[in-house]
Amino acid sequence: MNQTKYIFVTGGVTSSLGKGIIAASLAKLLQARGYRTTIQKFDPYINVDPGTLNPYEHGECYVTDDGAETDLDLGHYERFLNVPTSQANNVTTGRVYLSVIEKERRGEFLGKTVQVVPHITNEIKERMQLLGKSGDFDIVITEIGGTVGDIESLPYIESVRQLVWELGENNGIVIHLTLVPYLAAAGELKTKPTQHSVKTLMESGIKADILVCRTEHELSDELRQKLALFCNVKREAVIQSIDAKTIYDVPNLMLEEKLDIVALKKLDLPEKATPNLEVWNEFLRKLKNPKHTINIGLVGKYVELQDSYKSILEAFIHAGAANETKVNVISVHSEYIDVNSVAEKLRGLDGILVAPGFGERGIEGKIETVRFARENKIPFFGICLGMQMAVIEFSRTVLGYTDANSTEMNQDTKHPVINLMEEQKDVTHKGGTMRLGAWKCVIKPDTLAAEIYGKSEISERHRHRYEFNSAYLSQLESNGLKASGINPDTGLVEIIEVSDHPFFIGVQYHPEYKSTVANPHPIFVSFVAAAVAHKNR
């Protein structure tokens, strides 16, 4: 195939309809037919990346191998496709404007008046085609954040209009995702919101090629016919997206609706083979027929918003299926845990995960949680800040350094067992300046980490400024806390574990970012297995 084809996914009526899941599901089907497919997300907010956004604002910040702090939808893309994404897969308005302003400052526009059209739209179009021009992909799917009609989305919608026209017939298509609400009082589904949304899109000069309708009830043939007629699409291009029990059902639902076939037809591409979803469906079979059930406590400080820990929750789904186990994740707010309430708050748990985070709020609750899990031999897993809390707890309880702390929480602690990384000490800008992306780690033999990974060298993704203070390493090791994984270049402690415990591991990196349907992360798989064993004991 000579030319890369482009699919643009826009949304209307309301946000959170699941454009990312529809894009990922379509990409999965196209990939399963043998097409090299990738997905990118264009976000209309002015932050340069989500790295400086509070998890309550935007959910988790997802990190790629090349160190990009991106939108959480990129996590869905990787989990569905099992292919790493990069800096190029997520672009924000902030990044676009920053780039254009820098070009203007360098004099690249030769004295011209810099305007939204053509300068901003040209920058957007260039970035939309970046992955396509790499030669690595047959089809590039671009998800446009926000909803049609939003002021901030206008430059993107205009860029899509121009690009579809420039690419020419059959090279670029638009899928529009809308809501068909059910009015209980009238007892019927209503098409008017979708009609208005399509009309708004057409006023911007874009005709939707395919309409994906989010709904709680089956769309009748009559309703589909009506939508096709009034929204100016072919009858076969009205696709129903009904509420599913799990997001992992959506590719099969889209296969039934023939979304992939309709898209390929519009792009003038052959259907190739029937999609090979064997691995996917085996995962679904295990997910839906568990042999065990366990309760895992997720102890964190952003637990009110599920999306704050999106990748962790999905990693538990993958690991649960691998163990044929239903994992009930029970959110526990660390701010409300103390020495008096810890036993009550963590009662009945088969395993405890202490989650990542920043700042001192809820820290003492996390430390108390670690102590409870360690002393009561409950399977424990600490990620990033969770690993640091395990080091602090061990230093306080076992070494007797009662004021041991991280300099993030207490600058003046006499025992800074967690300290600011050397290269972070002169950093003043907060955006994109942490230790980010994939780093190597060498695992010591005869350790829990070696047993979990089954190899001596791994690569995992990071997002932190503070690190294990190696000045305390020999003291901690001689008292039973092992450093089982070390970065070969910096000597940074990456993995810690406690020897006299059935399962106690803390990692400085974020293993959840690399867990996918096809490759569940080994630590999550082992942690779930340990929790099942603990429950059976």
Side-chain angles (χ1 to χ4, degrees):
M1 187 193 312
N2 305 326
Q3 186 169 2
T4 302
K5 306 274 186 168
Y6 293 85
I7 297 173
F8 300 96
V9 182
T10 60
V13 186
T14 173
S15 58
S16 303
L17 285 181
K19 288 193 298 293
I21 302 298
I22 291 296
S25 298
L26 174 57
K28 179 79 221 164
L29 296 177
L30 296 172
Q31 183 194 55
R33 284 183 182 276
Y35 286 101
R36 296 172 307 154
T37 311
T38 189
I39 321 174
Q40 53 189 0
K41 171 92 184 268
F42 279 66
D43 263 315
Y45 52 79
I46 295 172
N47 302 62
V48 172
D49 58 48
T52 51
L53 284 169
N54 186 312
Y56 286 134
E57 285 273 328
H58 202 71
E60 76 171 5
C61 173
Y62 187 79
V63 177
T64 59
D65 276 338
D66 65 351
E69 291 177 293
T70 71
D71 184 78
L72 60 80
D73 271 325
L74 268 73
H76 290 311
Y77 305 163
E78 288 200 16
R79 288 188 279 273
F80 275 58
L81 295 181
N82 202 34
V83 174
T85 53
S86 71
Q87 189 84 47
N89 292 73
N90 190 201
V91 178
T92 66
T93 295
R95 196 173 287 278
V96 169
Y97 274 80
L98 189 64
S99 173
V100 170
I101 289 165
E102 282 170 350
K103 284 178 183 174
E104 184 273 334
R105 294 287 81 188
R106 289 194 298 268
E108 285 184 29
F109 297 120
L110 303 173
K112 283 198 165 66
T113 307
V114 180
Q115 294 174 290
V116 174
V117 180
H119 301 97
I120 297 295
T121 50
N122 283 350
E123 180 78 21
I124 292 170
K125 286 188 294 181
E126 208 173 287
R127 286 169 181 263
M128 282 176 170
Q129 294 174 91
L130 210 56
L131 290 166
K133 286 177 175 169
S134 69
D136 296 334
F137 303 105
D138 306 317
I139 299 168
V140 175
I141 299 177
T142 304
E143 179 193 344
I144 308 293
T147 49
V148 170
D150 296 348
I151 290 172
E152 58 263 37
S153 297
L154 286 172
Y156 292 106
I157 297 298
E158 171 57 18
S159 302
V160 170
R161 183 197 69 75
Q162 290 181 19
L163 196 50
V164 168
W165 183 83
E166 286 166 10
L167 289 166
E169 194 111 14
N170 307 121
N171 291 322
I173 62 168
V174 175
I175 295 176
H176 191 54
L177 177 66
T178 76
L179 179 68
V180 179
Y182 179 78
L183 290 191
E188 60 180 346
L189 289 161
K190 290 293 183 185
T191 64
K192 197 60 80 180
T194 294
Q195 291 179 50
H196 279 300
S197 182
V198 170
K199 182 182 169 208
T200 306
L201 192 63
M202 290 182 87
E203 283 168 357
S204 304
I206 296 177
K207 178 191 173 299
D209 296 285
I210 300 172
L211 208 54
V212 177
C213 304
R214 284 284 281 119
T215 174
E216 294 171 26
H217 300 272
E218 294 280 341
L219 300 183
S220 67
D221 204 55
E222 186 190 355
L223 202 102
R224 290 180 191 234
Q225 197 61 48
K226 181 180 175 182
L227 281 166
L229 177 64
F230 291 126
C231 297
N232 205 18
V233 295
K234 288 213 165 82
R235 162 65 186 78
E236 69 197 41
V238 177
I239 306 289
Q240 166 184 289
S241 173
I242 201 157
D243 288 0
K245 279 199 174 74
T246 160
I247 56 170
Y248 300 108
D249 279 330
V250 181
N252 281 317
L253 293 173
M254 291 302 104
L255 182 67
E256 280 171 33
E257 287 285 311
K258 300 188 170 59
L259 174 60
D260 53 333
I261 292 175
V262 176
L264 289 170
K265 200 167 152 189
K266 298 260 178 204
L267 292 169
D268 196 21
L269 291 173
E271 285 178 27
K272 287 193 179 180
T274 310
N276 178 1
L277 294 172
E278 260 177 60
V279 173
W280 190 270
N281 288 327
E282 177 58 13
F283 156 77
L284 273 175
R285 185 191 65 74
K286 288 180 174 175
L287 180 67
K288 291 177 176 183
N289 301 285
K291 292 176 181 168
H292 319 278
T293 302
I294 55 167
N295 295 326
I296 299 281
L298 173 65
V299 180
K301 46 205 266 189
Y302 312 114
V303 294
E304 296 90 339
L305 184 71
Q306 288 283 297
D307 278 357
S308 303
Y309 303 112
K310 193 67 188 164
S311 293
I312 291 175
L313 297 176
E314 297 306 318
F316 273 127
I317 291 173
H318 310 152
N323 283 286
E324 297 188 75
T325 299
K326 179 172 170 46
V327 181
N328 293 322
V329 178
I330 293 157
S331 297
V332 185
H333 205 306
S334 61
E335 218 175 341
Y336 307 127
I337 295 175
D338 58 30
V339 68
N340 301 314
S341 67
V342 65
E344 175 59 36
K345 294 274 185 196
L346 305 179
R347 178 180 292 160
L349 297 177
D350 306 306
I352 294 168
L353 183 144
V354 174
F358 295 90
E360 61 184 310
R361 182 172 64 86
I363 286 306
E364 293 301 323
K366 288 189 174 186
I367 294 168
E368 204 46 57
T369 297
V370 178
R371 184 191 62 75
F372 184 82
R374 188 176 60 78
E375 291 179 352
N376 290 286
K377 307 283 193 229
I378 301 167
F380 168 83
F381 181 14
I383 297 178
C384 196
L385 184 70
M387 172 266 210
Q388 297 175 1
M389 295 301 103
V391 174
I392 293 169
E393 186 279 323
F394 200 90
S395 306
R396 287 183 184 181
T397 316
V398 181
L399 300 187
Y401 298 148
T402 50
D403 78 325
N405 216 325
S406 162
T407 51
E408 182 184 5
M409 320 309 164
N410 177 6
Q411 285 281 352
D412 308 317
T413 173
K414 286 196 183 72
H415 296 287
V417 291
I418 303 294
N419 211 349
L420 188 61
M421 302 177 78
E422 206 49 51
E423 64 268 30
Q424 290 287 328
K425 288 182 177 169
D426 299 322
V427 171
T428 50
H429 277 53
K430 293 288 184 234
T433 55
M434 285 189 233
R435 181 174 188 255
L436 292 164
W439 294 76
K440 282 184 190 150
C441 170
V442 173
I443 296 175
K444 291 182 183 169
D446 306 317
T447 57
L448 176 60
E451 189 188 316
I452 288 170
Y453 279 100
K455 49 186 175 184
S456 58
E457 192 174 290
I458 57 167
S459 167
E460 293 280 6
R461 298 177 193 177
H462 295 68
R463 185 173 184 252
H464 63 109
R465 294 186 197 278
Y466 291 81
E467 64 172 326
F468 182 107
N469 186 344
S470 294
Y472 290 88
L473 182 56
S474 60
Q475 270 177 288
L476 286 161
E477 290 217 296
S478 57
N479 281 278
L481 183 125
K482 266 192 297 206
S484 55
I486 307 280
N487 177 283
D489 306 317
T490 62
L492 173 73
V493 173
E494 298 274 16
I495 309 174
I496 58 116
E497 49 190 73
V498 172
S499 359
D500 62 339
H501 194 285
F503 189 100
F504 189 105
I505 195 163
V507 298
Q508 182 56 74
Y509 47 83
H510 288 262
E512 69 274 21
Y513 292 149
K514 288 186 78 168
S515 186
T516 69
V517 167
N519 287 312
H521 197 283
I523 302 188
F524 280 89
V525 174
S526 301
F527 179 51
V528 169
V532 171
H534 175 78
K535 182 179 183 175
N536 293 340
R537 270 201 299 277

